[in-house]
Amino acid sequence: VAQPMFSLSEGFISITDGALLNVDGDVYLDANTVILNEDTLRSQGDWINESNGLGFDPSLSGYVYLDGDDQTIRGSSTTRFHNLLLATSGTKYASLHVEVDSLLDLGDRQFDLDTNTVFVYNPTFNVVRRNHGFVRALGDGGIERTLNATDTYIFPVGFEIGGDTVYRPVEVIPNSIGSYIYRVRLVENDPSLDNLSREERDLLICSINDRFYHKIWEELGTDSVTINFIFNPLDDGEFNDVVHWRNIPQWEIAPSFSTNNISPSERVISMTPWKNYLSENFALSETTAPFAQAGNDTTIYLLDTAYLLASGGIDYTWTPADYLSCDNCPDPFFFHDSTTSYVVTVENDRNCRDIDSITIFVDDRFDEDPFIPNGLTMNGD
Protein backbone atom coordinates (compact mmCIF):
# COMPACT_ATOMS: atom_id res chain seq x y z
CA VAL A 1 0.00 0.00 0.00
CA ALA A 2 1.38 3.42 -0.94
CA GLN A 3 -0.01 6.63 0.55
CA PRO A 4 0.87 10.31 -0.09
CA MET A 5 0.58 10.76 3.69
CA PHE A 6 -0.75 8.68 6.55
CA SER A 7 -2.91 9.94 9.41
CA LEU A 8 -4.49 7.78 12.08
CA SER A 9 -6.89 9.01 14.76
CA GLU A 10 -8.58 7.15 17.62
CA GLY A 11 -7.81 3.68 16.35
CA PHE A 12 -5.42 0.95 15.24
CA ILE A 13 -3.73 -0.10 12.06
CA SER A 14 -2.22 -3.54 11.62
CA ILE A 15 0.71 -4.17 9.27
CA THR A 16 0.76 -7.95 9.18
CA ASP A 17 3.70 -10.20 8.42
CA GLY A 18 4.54 -9.89 4.74
CA ALA A 19 2.89 -6.46 4.34
CA LEU A 20 4.45 -3.08 3.52
CA LEU A 21 3.00 0.36 4.15
CA ASN A 22 4.86 2.97 2.09
CA VAL A 23 4.10 6.61 2.87
CA ASP A 24 5.35 9.26 0.45
CA GLY A 25 4.74 12.02 2.99
CA ASP A 26 4.34 12.42 6.75
CA VAL A 27 3.15 9.82 9.22
CA TYR A 28 0.80 11.47 11.73
CA LEU A 29 -0.47 9.65 14.82
CA ASP A 30 -3.32 11.50 16.50
CA ALA A 31 -4.62 10.88 20.02
CA ASN A 32 -5.11 7.30 21.22
CA THR A 33 -3.67 5.57 18.16
CA VAL A 34 -1.47 2.47 17.99
CA ILE A 35 0.33 0.76 15.09
CA LEU A 36 0.52 -3.03 15.24
CA ASN A 37 3.59 -3.52 13.05
CA GLU A 38 4.68 -7.06 12.24
CA ASP A 39 6.61 -6.16 9.09
CA THR A 40 7.62 -2.85 7.45
CA LEU A 41 6.57 0.79 7.37
CA ARG A 42 8.48 3.21 5.15
CA SER A 43 8.10 6.96 5.41
CA GLN A 44 9.55 9.72 3.22
CA GLY A 45 8.23 12.54 5.39
CA ASP A 46 8.26 13.51 9.06
CA TRP A 47 7.23 11.17 11.85
CA ILE A 48 4.72 13.01 14.06
CA ASN A 49 3.45 11.33 17.23
CA GLU A 50 0.59 13.08 19.06
CA SER A 51 -0.92 9.81 20.31
CA ASN A 52 -0.18 10.28 24.03
CA GLY A 53 1.51 6.89 23.78
CA LEU A 54 4.51 5.08 22.35
CA GLY A 55 2.98 4.77 18.88
CA PHE A 56 3.52 1.01 18.54
CA ASP A 57 2.42 -2.20 20.20
CA PRO A 58 5.73 -3.11 21.94
CA SER A 59 5.12 -6.83 21.62
CA LEU A 60 5.57 -6.71 17.82
CA SER A 61 8.94 -6.52 16.11
CA GLY A 62 8.32 -4.54 12.93
CA TYR A 63 10.67 -2.25 11.00
CA VAL A 64 10.39 1.48 10.32
CA TYR A 65 12.49 3.04 7.55
CA LEU A 66 12.98 6.79 7.31
CA ASP A 67 13.97 6.89 3.65
CA GLY A 68 13.17 10.40 2.47
CA ASP A 69 15.34 13.50 2.36
CA ASP A 70 15.64 15.58 5.55
CA GLN A 71 13.16 14.09 8.03
CA THR A 72 12.23 14.86 11.63
CA ILE A 73 10.84 12.71 14.41
CA ARG A 74 8.61 15.12 16.30
CA GLY A 75 5.35 15.57 18.16
CA SER A 76 4.32 15.68 21.81
CA SER A 77 4.84 11.95 22.50
CA THR A 78 8.02 9.88 22.45
CA THR A 79 7.85 7.07 19.91
CA ARG A 80 9.20 3.66 20.86
CA PHE A 81 10.29 1.97 17.64
CA HIS A 82 11.18 -1.68 17.61
CA ASN A 83 13.61 -1.43 14.68
CA LEU A 84 14.53 2.00 13.30
CA LEU A 85 16.54 2.35 10.09
CA LEU A 86 17.77 5.64 8.60
CA ALA A 87 18.08 5.44 4.84
CA THR A 88 18.40 7.21 1.47
CA SER A 89 19.52 10.85 1.83
CA GLY A 90 19.44 13.97 3.94
CA THR A 91 19.77 14.43 7.68
CA LYS A 92 17.42 12.78 10.14
CA TYR A 93 16.39 14.98 13.05
CA ALA A 94 14.64 14.46 16.39
CA SER A 95 12.95 17.25 18.34
CA LEU A 96 12.29 14.94 21.32
CA HIS A 97 13.71 11.73 22.76
CA VAL A 98 13.61 8.58 20.61
CA GLU A 99 13.36 5.03 21.96
CA VAL A 100 14.43 1.86 20.14
CA ASP A 101 13.66 -1.60 21.49
CA SER A 102 16.03 -3.57 19.28
CA LEU A 103 17.85 -2.41 16.12
CA LEU A 104 19.12 1.10 15.36
CA ASP A 105 20.70 1.23 11.89
CA LEU A 106 22.15 4.67 11.07
CA GLY A 107 23.13 3.73 7.52
CA ASP A 108 25.01 6.67 5.99
CA ARG A 109 22.93 9.31 7.73
CA GLN A 110 23.54 11.92 10.39
CA PHE A 111 21.02 11.50 13.22
CA ASP A 112 20.83 15.03 14.66
CA LEU A 113 19.14 14.88 18.06
CA ASP A 114 19.66 18.47 19.24
CA THR A 115 19.59 18.17 23.06
CA ASN A 116 17.70 14.86 22.97
CA THR A 117 18.78 11.24 23.37
CA VAL A 118 18.18 8.07 21.41
CA PHE A 119 17.75 5.17 23.85
CA VAL A 120 18.65 1.67 22.62
CA TYR A 121 17.29 -0.91 25.07
CA ASN A 122 18.41 -4.17 23.46
CA PRO A 123 21.60 -5.26 25.34
CA THR A 124 22.96 -7.22 22.37
CA PHE A 125 26.22 -5.56 21.36
CA ASN A 126 25.65 -5.46 17.57
CA VAL A 127 22.15 -3.92 17.43
CA VAL A 128 23.60 -0.47 16.76
CA ARG A 129 24.78 -0.50 13.15
CA ARG A 130 26.14 1.98 10.65
CA ASN A 131 27.87 2.37 7.35
CA HIS A 132 29.06 5.97 7.62
CA GLY A 133 26.25 7.26 9.84
CA PHE A 134 26.60 8.82 13.28
CA VAL A 135 24.71 10.50 16.12
CA ARG A 136 25.10 14.22 16.77
CA ALA A 137 23.75 15.86 19.91
CA LEU A 138 23.97 18.97 22.06
CA GLY A 139 23.69 19.58 25.80
CA ASP A 140 23.13 16.37 27.74
CA GLY A 141 21.81 14.51 24.70
CA GLY A 142 23.46 11.64 22.88
CA ILE A 143 23.10 7.92 22.36
CA GLU A 144 22.31 5.79 25.41
CA ARG A 145 22.70 2.01 25.41
CA THR A 146 21.91 -0.85 27.76
CA LEU A 147 24.82 -3.30 28.25
CA ASN A 148 24.92 -6.66 29.99
CA ALA A 149 27.90 -8.62 28.61
CA THR A 150 31.67 -8.35 28.21
CA ASP A 151 31.25 -7.44 24.54
CA THR A 152 32.35 -4.30 22.69
CA TYR A 153 29.48 -1.80 22.51
CA ILE A 154 29.98 1.02 20.02
CA PHE A 155 28.64 4.54 20.52
CA PRO A 156 28.83 6.07 16.99
CA VAL A 157 29.09 9.79 17.69
CA GLY A 158 30.27 12.59 15.42
CA PHE A 159 29.47 15.91 13.79
CA GLU A 160 29.83 17.72 10.47
CA ILE A 161 31.98 20.82 9.98
CA GLY A 162 32.59 22.56 6.67
CA GLY A 163 31.07 19.67 4.77
CA ASP A 164 33.42 17.15 6.38
CA THR A 165 32.37 14.47 8.84
CA VAL A 166 34.25 14.18 12.13
CA TYR A 167 33.43 10.67 13.33
CA ARG A 168 35.02 9.92 16.73
CA PRO A 169 33.24 6.94 18.29
CA VAL A 170 33.62 5.53 21.78
CA GLU A 171 33.54 1.82 22.66
CA VAL A 172 32.51 0.61 26.11
CA ILE A 173 33.49 -2.92 27.18
CA PRO A 174 32.23 -4.14 30.57
CA ASN A 175 34.84 -6.05 32.55
CA SER A 176 32.20 -8.41 33.95
CA ILE A 177 28.68 -9.54 33.14
CA GLY A 178 26.13 -7.29 34.83
CA SER A 179 23.76 -4.38 34.31
CA TYR A 180 25.05 -1.19 32.69
CA ILE A 181 23.60 1.89 31.03
CA TYR A 182 25.91 4.39 29.32
CA ARG A 183 25.26 7.59 27.37
CA VAL A 184 27.84 9.25 25.09
CA ARG A 185 28.04 12.57 23.27
CA LEU A 186 30.80 14.10 21.14
CA VAL A 187 31.11 17.83 21.89
CA GLU A 188 32.11 19.73 18.77
CA ASN A 189 34.07 22.61 20.32
CA ASP A 190 37.04 23.56 22.48
CA PRO A 191 36.35 22.46 26.09
CA SER A 192 37.57 25.89 27.26
CA LEU A 193 34.39 27.36 25.73
CA ASP A 194 32.37 25.27 28.20
CA ASN A 195 34.27 26.46 31.30
CA LEU A 196 36.58 23.43 31.13
CA SER A 197 39.76 25.44 30.63
CA ARG A 198 42.59 23.55 28.98
CA GLU A 199 45.01 25.72 30.97
CA GLU A 200 43.71 24.26 34.23
CA ARG A 201 45.61 20.99 34.07
CA ASP A 202 47.71 18.78 36.27
CA LEU A 203 51.45 18.24 35.95
CA LEU A 204 52.79 16.20 33.02
CA ILE A 205 49.85 17.20 30.78
CA CYS A 206 51.40 19.01 27.81
CA SER A 207 48.32 19.76 25.69
CA ILE A 208 44.60 18.98 25.47
CA ASN A 209 42.56 18.60 22.30
CA ASP A 210 40.94 21.93 21.38
CA ARG A 211 38.85 20.50 18.54
CA PHE A 212 36.38 18.34 20.48
CA TYR A 213 35.89 16.34 23.67
CA HIS A 214 33.57 13.58 24.88
CA LYS A 215 30.87 13.43 27.51
CA ILE A 216 30.28 9.97 29.00
CA TRP A 217 27.57 9.29 31.56
CA GLU A 218 27.27 6.10 33.58
CA GLU A 219 23.57 5.89 34.37
CA LEU A 220 23.92 2.36 35.77
CA GLY A 221 27.05 0.32 36.37
CA THR A 222 27.77 -2.93 38.13
CA ASP A 223 31.54 -2.97 37.66
CA SER A 224 34.39 -1.12 35.97
CA VAL A 225 34.65 -0.99 32.18
CA THR A 226 37.17 -0.42 29.43
CA ILE A 227 36.54 2.73 27.40
CA ASN A 228 38.13 3.06 23.95
CA PHE A 229 38.51 6.48 22.35
CA ILE A 230 38.99 6.24 18.57
CA PHE A 231 40.45 9.22 16.70
CA ASN A 232 42.44 10.32 13.66
CA PRO A 233 45.96 11.52 14.60
CA LEU A 234 46.43 13.03 11.12
CA ASP A 235 43.50 15.42 11.67
CA ASP A 236 43.29 15.66 15.45
CA GLY A 237 46.93 15.61 16.58
CA GLU A 238 49.46 13.23 18.09
CA PHE A 239 47.67 12.48 21.36
CA ASN A 240 48.79 9.60 23.58
CA ASP A 241 46.48 9.79 26.60
CA VAL A 242 43.06 10.74 27.94
CA VAL A 243 42.39 13.33 30.64
CA HIS A 244 39.35 13.65 32.90
CA TRP A 245 37.91 16.87 34.40
CA ARG A 246 37.93 16.56 38.17
CA ASN A 247 36.45 18.52 41.06
CA ILE A 248 39.61 20.50 41.87
CA PRO A 249 38.62 21.65 39.18
CA GLN A 250 41.20 20.78 36.55
CA TRP A 251 42.07 18.22 33.92
CA GLU A 252 43.85 15.17 35.34
CA ILE A 253 45.47 12.16 33.71
CA ALA A 254 43.42 8.96 33.61
CA PRO A 255 45.34 6.52 35.83
CA SER A 256 45.45 3.57 33.41
CA PHE A 257 45.65 3.73 29.64
CA SER A 258 47.17 2.12 26.58
CA THR A 259 47.39 3.10 22.91
CA ASN A 260 47.01 1.06 19.74
CA ASN A 261 47.76 2.30 16.22
CA ILE A 262 45.27 0.61 13.90
CA SER A 263 46.38 2.59 10.84
CA PRO A 264 48.04 5.98 10.12
CA SER A 265 44.57 7.58 10.29
CA GLU A 266 43.10 5.58 13.18
CA ARG A 267 44.35 5.28 16.74
CA VAL A 268 42.72 3.89 19.88
CA ILE A 269 43.40 5.04 23.43
CA SER A 270 41.97 2.74 26.11
CA MET A 271 41.18 3.47 29.74
CA THR A 272 40.90 0.34 31.87
CA PRO A 273 39.67 -0.40 34.42
CA TRP A 274 37.55 2.73 34.68
CA LYS A 275 34.74 3.68 37.07
CA ASN A 276 35.02 7.39 37.83
CA TYR A 277 32.20 9.63 36.65
CA LEU A 278 32.37 12.51 39.11
CA SER A 279 32.52 14.47 35.88
CA GLU A 280 31.25 13.30 32.49
CA ASN A 281 34.00 15.19 30.61
CA PHE A 282 36.92 13.41 28.89
CA ALA A 283 39.45 14.74 26.37
CA LEU A 284 42.36 13.52 24.30
CA SER A 285 45.72 14.80 25.51
CA GLU A 286 49.47 14.65 25.15
CA THR A 287 51.24 13.67 28.37
CA THR A 288 54.84 12.96 29.28
CA ALA A 289 56.94 11.08 31.80
CA PRO A 290 58.47 13.01 34.76
CA PHE A 291 61.38 15.18 33.64
CA ALA A 292 62.08 17.85 36.31
CA GLN A 293 65.38 17.56 38.24
CA ALA A 294 66.07 19.83 41.21
CA GLY A 295 69.40 18.21 42.04
CA ASN A 296 70.51 16.30 45.13
CA ASP A 297 69.93 17.34 48.72
CA THR A 298 72.95 19.24 50.03
CA THR A 299 74.50 19.97 53.45
CA ILE A 300 76.45 23.18 54.12
CA TYR A 301 77.96 24.88 57.17
CA LEU A 302 76.92 28.21 58.65
CA LEU A 303 77.89 31.14 56.46
CA ASP A 304 78.49 28.86 53.48
CA THR A 305 76.71 29.27 50.15
CA ALA A 306 74.98 26.43 48.24
CA TYR A 307 74.81 26.36 44.46
CA LEU A 308 71.54 24.90 43.10
CA LEU A 309 71.26 23.51 39.60
CA ALA A 310 67.90 22.35 38.20
CA SER A 311 67.50 20.75 34.78
CA GLY A 312 64.98 19.23 32.39
CA GLY A 313 63.30 22.24 30.81
CA ILE A 314 63.55 25.82 29.62
CA ASP A 315 61.66 27.71 32.37
CA TYR A 316 62.16 27.34 36.13
CA THR A 317 60.28 28.69 39.15
CA TRP A 318 61.50 28.11 42.70
CA THR A 319 59.14 28.09 45.69
CA PRO A 320 59.59 29.70 48.15
CA ALA A 321 61.74 32.45 46.67
CA ASP A 322 63.37 33.29 50.01
CA TYR A 323 67.17 33.22 50.40
CA LEU A 324 67.80 32.59 46.71
CA SER A 325 69.69 34.83 44.35
CA CYS A 326 66.89 34.35 41.78
CA ASP A 327 63.63 32.38 41.76
CA ASN A 328 63.19 32.06 37.96
CA CYS A 329 66.56 30.67 36.90
CA PRO A 330 67.87 27.08 36.93
CA ASP A 331 70.98 27.87 39.02
CA PRO A 332 70.38 30.20 41.99
CA PHE A 333 72.69 30.60 45.00
CA PHE A 334 71.35 29.83 48.48
CA PHE A 335 72.59 31.66 51.61
CA HIS A 336 70.81 31.20 54.94
CA ASP A 337 71.46 30.05 58.50
CA SER A 338 68.85 27.27 58.74
CA THR A 339 67.70 24.22 56.78
CA THR A 340 65.30 25.08 53.92
CA SER A 341 63.38 22.99 51.34
CA TYR A 342 62.50 24.17 47.85
CA VAL A 343 60.20 23.00 45.05
CA VAL A 344 61.11 23.86 41.48
CA THR A 345 58.48 23.88 38.73
CA VAL A 346 60.03 23.10 35.37
CA GLU A 347 58.40 23.72 31.99
CA ASN A 348 59.80 22.24 28.79
CA ASP A 349 59.51 23.33 25.16
CA ARG A 350 56.23 21.34 24.74
CA ASN A 351 54.42 23.31 27.48
CA CYS A 352 54.67 20.33 29.85
CA ARG A 353 55.13 21.11 33.54
CA ASP A 354 56.74 18.98 36.24
CA ILE A 355 58.08 19.55 39.75
CA ASP A 356 60.93 18.28 41.91
CA SER A 357 62.19 19.21 45.35
CA ILE A 358 65.50 19.70 47.14
CA THR A 359 66.50 20.37 50.74
CA ILE A 360 69.53 22.40 51.81
CA PHE A 361 70.60 21.22 55.26
CA VAL A 362 72.52 23.82 57.28
CA ASP A 363 74.98 22.47 59.87
CA ASP A 364 75.11 24.85 62.84
CA ARG A 365 78.92 24.54 62.95
CA PHE A 366 81.25 26.85 61.09
CA ASP A 367 83.29 25.47 58.22
CA GLU A 368 86.97 25.35 58.98
CA ASP A 369 87.66 26.29 55.36
CA PRO A 370 84.64 28.38 54.31
CA PHE A 371 83.94 29.60 50.82
CA ILE A 372 84.46 33.35 50.73
CA PRO A 373 83.53 35.17 47.53
CA ASN A 374 86.32 37.32 46.18
CA GLY A 375 84.20 39.55 44.00
CA LEU A 376 81.09 41.70 44.06
CA THR A 377 78.28 41.54 41.50
CA MET A 378 76.70 44.60 39.95
CA ASN A 379 73.60 44.31 42.17
CA GLY A 380 75.64 43.78 45.32
CA ASP A 381 74.72 40.13 46.08
Side-chain angles (χ1 to χ4, degrees), residues 291-305:
F291 58 88
Q293 296 289 332
N296 298 323
D297 293 346
T298 304
T299 299
I300 63 173
Y301 292 101
L302 281 174
L303 302 184
D304 272 358
T305 301

Side-chain angles (χ1 to χ4, degrees), residues 126-140:
N126 61 355
V127 295
V128 173
R129 303 175 187 174
R130 64 179 294 273
N131 188 3
H132 298 288
F134 58 90
V135 171
R136 174 186 181 265
L138 303 174
D140 292 340

Side-chain angles (χ1 to χ4, degrees), residues 78-251:
T78 296
T79 300
R80 186 158 180 166
F81 301 92
H82 190 86
N83 299 296
L84 177 63
L85 299 93
L86 311 184
T88 311
S89 62
T91 298
K92 314 303 179 182
Y93 299 92
S95 62
L96 74 172
H97 294 320
V98 176
E99 299 180 350
V100 179
D101 265 329
S102 188
L103 171 66
L104 173 65
D105 191 337
L106 300 169
D108 293 322
R109 300 299 94 216
Q110 176 184 189
F111 197 9
D112 192 331
L113 301 170
D114 196 71
T115 58
N116 303 298
T117 297
V118 54
F119 300 88
V120 181
Y121 297 118
N122 188 336
T124 306
F125 76 97
N126 61 355
V127 295
V128 173
R129 303 175 187 174
R130 64 179 294 273
N131 188 3
H132 298 288
F134 58 90
V135 171
R136 174 186 181 265
L138 303 174
D140 292 340
I143 175 171
E144 182 168 304
R145 300 193 60 180
T146 299
L147 299 64
N148 68 356
T150 56
D151 293 316
T152 300
Y153 293 81
I154 191 166
F155 291 76
V157 291
F159 59 89
E160 288 187 353
I161 182 169
D164 295 327
T165 296
V166 179
Y167 175 64
R168 301 297 181 264
V170 163
E171 295 173 337
V172 178
I173 309 168
N175 291 326
S176 65
I177 295 173
S179 298
Y180 308 85
I181 299 176
Y182 276 81
R183 183 168 80 259
V184 176
R185 174 197 163 201
L186 180 65
V187 184
E188 54 201 76
N189 58 257
D190 186 335
S192 295
L193 298 178
D194 296 328
N195 296 317
L196 305 170
S197 173
R198 290 180 292 106
E199 298 304 315
E200 300 297 329
R201 61 183 191 266
D202 202 0
L203 300 171
L204 305 180
I205 300 174
C206 309
S207 64
I208 297 173
N209 185 12
D210 63 356
R211 194 180 187 202
F212 58 80
Y213 66 101
H214 286 87
K215 288 183 176 288
I216 302 176
W217 293 267
E218 181 195 54
E219 301 294 353
L220 178 66
T222 308
D223 196 359
S224 61
V225 300
T226 296
I227 301 179
N228 293 333
F229 296 83
I230 303 172
F231 69 102
N232 184 340
L234 301 179
D235 292 339
D236 305 330
E238 287 292 335
F239 300 112
N240 65 349
D241 207 342
V242 173
V243 291
H244 182 214
W245 184 261
R246 306 286 177 83
N247 286 340
I248 292 178
Q250 66 176 5
W251 292 102

Side-chain angles (χ1 to χ4, degrees), residues 201 203 291-294 309-319 326-332 343-356:
R201 61 183 191 266
L203 300 171
F291 58 88
Q293 296 289 332
L309 181 60
S311 62
I314 57 175
D315 290 314
Y316 302 85
T317 304
W318 295 90
T319 306
C326 64
D327 65 352
N328 60 353
C329 62
D331 52 356
V343 173
V344 61
T345 301
V346 182
E347 184 170 330
N348 65 16
D349 57 1
R350 293 156 52 206
N351 296 318
C352 314
R353 293 191 299 269
D354 190 19
I355 63 172
D356 197 17

